Amino acid sequence: MATITATVTETLLSTVTTTGTAAAATTTGPSPQGGILEGVLPNTFLSSNPIQLFIIQAGIIIILCRILHYPLSLLGQPRVIAEVIGGILLGPSVLARIPGFSNAIFPTASMPVLNNAANLGLVLFLFLIGLEVDIRMFTSNWRVALSVGLAGMILPFGLGCAIAWGLYHQFHNDGNTVDINFGVYALFIGTALAITAFPVLCRILSELNMLGTPVGVTVLAAGVGNDVVGWILLALCVALVNNGSGLTALWVLLVAVGWVLFLVFAVRPVFHWALRRTGSIQNGPTQGMIAVTILLVLTSAWFTSIIGVHAIFGAFLVGLICPHDGGFAIHVTEKIEDLVTVLLLPLYFALSGLSTDLGLLNDGITWGYVIGVIAVAFSGKIIGGTLAAKAMKLVWRESFTIGVLMSCKGLVELIVLNIGLQARILSKRTFTIFVVMALITTVSTTPLTKWLYPPWYRKKLEQWKRGEIDWDGKPLQTDTSQADSIAQVQDAKIRRLLVYLRLDSLPSLFTFISLLGDEHVTPKLEETSSKLEGTEDTSNAPVIRKRPLEVHALRIVELTERTSSVMKVTEGDDYSRRDPVVNAFRTFSRLHDVAVSGNVVVAPEDSYAQTVVAQASNQESDFVLIPWSETGSNKEDQSVPFKASAEDRFSGKSHLDFIQTTLAKAVCNTGIFIGHGFGGVAPADGGRPGLPRTISHVSMRSQRETALLPIADKSHEVFFPYLGGVDDRVALRFVLQLAKNPLITVTIARLNYTEGDDEIVAVSEGNLDPISSISLSKHAINTEITAQDSSLLATVQSNISPELASRVHFTEISVSPSSAVKRVMELAKDTIGKNSRNAGDIVIVGRRHPRLPATQRTIDQSNTEYDMQKTIGVFGQAMAMSDLKASVLVVQAGGAGLEQ
């Protein structure tokens, strides 16, 4: 009896001890209500409340991936690289080697919960990939897409089957793998090496501004076909693995094909009808149609899963049948992408890293296969893509670039590998070999592309294809555009104008274009009388200038990390045709005798300046007009416009950097326009309307605004202080072109420095540290006042036409460097801003005057006046930040304007 009692006691104690030890990591019973107050650790996995540990796991993964992504993004690497490396660091390669780390953070019992969230993210992400794939891109370029896509798949597929022979016999039985024949194994390895990461390609091409190049068009078109064929091959492979007999696999494939046909011919028409019926295509998807779309995704994923094909294929198919009309695909992506890419998808790729054990690469044979797989991945794609592109008449360097881009594996490769690991086709060792290959091919894509296809080479290639230069860069013939530019300088007219469109500056830009487009001078009374007395009536005959003003409207939309932003780039042409701001500008310009074109460019915010400069160069513009933001930001909030204070408007660092960089890299004359009621639209300075003191039948909450009467006085007063220097000379010519409009009255003030003035100022404008010291020093001599300035104004005044003489007034004042700004401000207030009923006045100034005194600032001091002077000059800052009731245009010479 004593023996039995001792045995029972020992068993109970052993059970209690074991249970107490396990409870530190996992608890399967009801959770204590007090939580940590009852001594339960925060990282304890409770099967009844798994969210507790899941939040810790998700937080660690997201934070680590974001920290890793920051330095990698500076090297142009996609986020998936940081997510996989983060998973590798958390896995058995690094942190899991710490005793107790895996049991504390990633216990085995918690992995099903993490896997469910990760796989839900994967299903939704494959739906987003399907949305991103626009079949129209393939059909519109089917010839090049077919040749490059097939060559880019057949060769790597064949090489993959070859290296699969060695991998199959060396590693197939290494670990918990299923017993499959070599044919199925070779099919999977070939598919893994033949597939291309279409989403990563879109991101790389967008960031490198290559979507409009022959390389970008070819790669995207081929990538669409490659992506679709790759997923079909993977579905075939999974079906063969999951079904033992060939007859069952055949039935699975037939059912899968039947499901595809059902989605395309039965579901798709009804779905599109419902979208149009609810206005989801015209006005963006309603919440109800988003619910229907998500249900379609989940249903399709469930069906493909139960028939033995992975759930991701069903989600991908639903993405393919969604319409791209009206930007529907972009709107749906915007609704769900943040939750997927920020929370769920990092979990999936982190799990890939947790399954990657670099310690398994522990012998020479394994490393030999690592090098061999990487070599096959590179050579197959590069050789196949290069030869196919060369056959389509592209030059060798373009062809090599296409081959390099097609070798990008990215996140699609990792999804394929994880499916192979889950289906037990790959062992953990083989999985690690291919993860290393995917990382290396993805990391090397961007730097290799930049090296093979840099911007200067693209520009040279475009000129060579147009027949402007030979292969060595020497011009073949006289460039008519250059001849035109010389003529433009001689007749002092702007012929090609580039306008940077902002929604908040449209009223001012409309007024500007109308003034530049209409150069008809009011006829004299005698001429009018003779026309009335004449027998021939030509008053109704349309007047068309021989060469109208050409305006190119540039609209920039920010390229963000979001997939929807990249989709806007890939659908750029359609986006330009549908953009309401560009269309409004097109219509207005054509009604005012102006030839107009326009496009929308999606670019990162730090590339806005380079985008403007590149467009000015491509359009061969001789003047660029850039409006200053009403809010002091490069971004535009079109849904909720708000008013910014003067301090905020002129102190936004990102906008100041954009203006400074644009001026520093300008290739032609550039004007910065700071609007203040130009065009008759008064700035909204008031707040909410006050309550009326009289009784009214109108509700106090209606705030019905009184209708604005038409502007009776459409005249404009222009004030221009002329000190000298190349910027002032260009500004003078611009003022004279504006003066040809009969609605313009101009006052030109000649500023003369007093003789013998040797006044020394503490800091002059010429000493402000520029954003580009090279660009300023190159033209520093041109900004100084020369003898040409003294004679130019006198020549203009003596030779002015009689039609302009009555509307262009000249005055002259003497100033010193320290008093110039004050005297000019006084004269400006006496000249403009007095008629509150006209269409708005404007002050035009040159940007650079090296002798004018500037505001001082210490290293650690932030000063808005200093930053504004550094950006638009001393005169520009004084006018823009004063209480002057007029807009300001700051002009800087550039390109051919430097020789004027």
Side-chain angles (χ1 to χ4, degrees), residues 61-105:
I61 291 172
I62 293 172
I63 292 172
L64 181 60
C65 291
R66 288 285 166 173
I67 292 174
L68 290 173
H69 175 60
Y70 177 73
L72 290 172
S73 64
L74 301 179
L75 302 175
Q77 298 302 323
R79 189 189 299 110
V80 65
I81 299 297
E83 291 167 353
V84 176
I85 293 177
I88 292 175
L89 293 177
L90 292 172
S93 301
V94 184
L95 292 177
R97 294 181 178 271
I98 299 175
F101 178 82
S102 293
N103 289 333
I105 305 299

Side-chain angles (χ1 to χ4, degrees), residues 223-247:
V224 170
N226 195 304
D227 217 27
V228 175
V229 173
W231 292 119
I232 292 173
L233 290 176
L234 188 58
L236 173 63
C237 186
V238 172
L240 292 172
V241 171
N242 290 343
N243 300 278
S245 65
L247 184 60

Side-chain angles (χ1 to χ4, degrees), residues 199-214:
V200 178
L201 274 184
C202 291
R203 168 65 61 180
I204 292 174
L205 292 172
S206 303
E207 292 180 347
L208 298 182
N209 197 22
M210 289 174 55
L211 283 170
T213 64

Side-chain angles (χ1 to χ4, degrees), residues 237-302:
C237 186
V238 172
L240 292 172
V241 171
N242 290 343
N243 300 278
S245 65
L247 184 60
T248 306
L250 178 62
W251 276 111
V252 169
L253 292 177
L254 290 176
V255 174
V257 171
W259 179 249
V260 173
L261 296 176
F262 176 73
L263 285 176
V264 173
F265 294 106
V267 176
R268 183 175 177 270
V270 177
F271 182 50
H272 285 206
W273 174 84
L275 291 175
R276 286 185 168 83
R277 181 77 174 176
T278 58
S280 296
I281 291 182
Q282 300 89 335
N283 306 316
T286 63
Q287 191 177 61
M289 291 313 300
I290 288 290
V292 170
T293 306
I294 296 298
L295 284 174
L296 273 177
V297 173
L298 297 178
T299 302
S300 183
W302 170 79

Side-chain angles (χ1 to χ4, degrees), residues 18 40 43 127 142 176 326 524 635 643 741 824 828:
T18 304
V40 179
N43 64 319
F127 167 64
W142 68 271
N176 187 23
K524 295 181 180 179
K635 297 179 174 62
K643 180 181 180 299
N741 190 294
V824 167

Side-chain angles (χ1 to χ4, degrees), residues 289-334:
M289 291 313 300
I290 288 290
V292 170
T293 306
I294 296 298
L295 284 174
L296 273 177
V297 173
L298 297 178
T299 302
S300 183
W302 170 79
F303 183 82
T304 54
S305 179
I306 64 173
I307 65 173
V309 184
H310 201 284
I312 63 174
F313 302 107
F316 179 73
L317 291 173
V318 174
L320 287 180
I321 67 171
C322 287
H324 286 256
D325 302 336
F328 175 79
I330 295 176
H331 292 316
V332 173
T333 303
E334 289 173 339

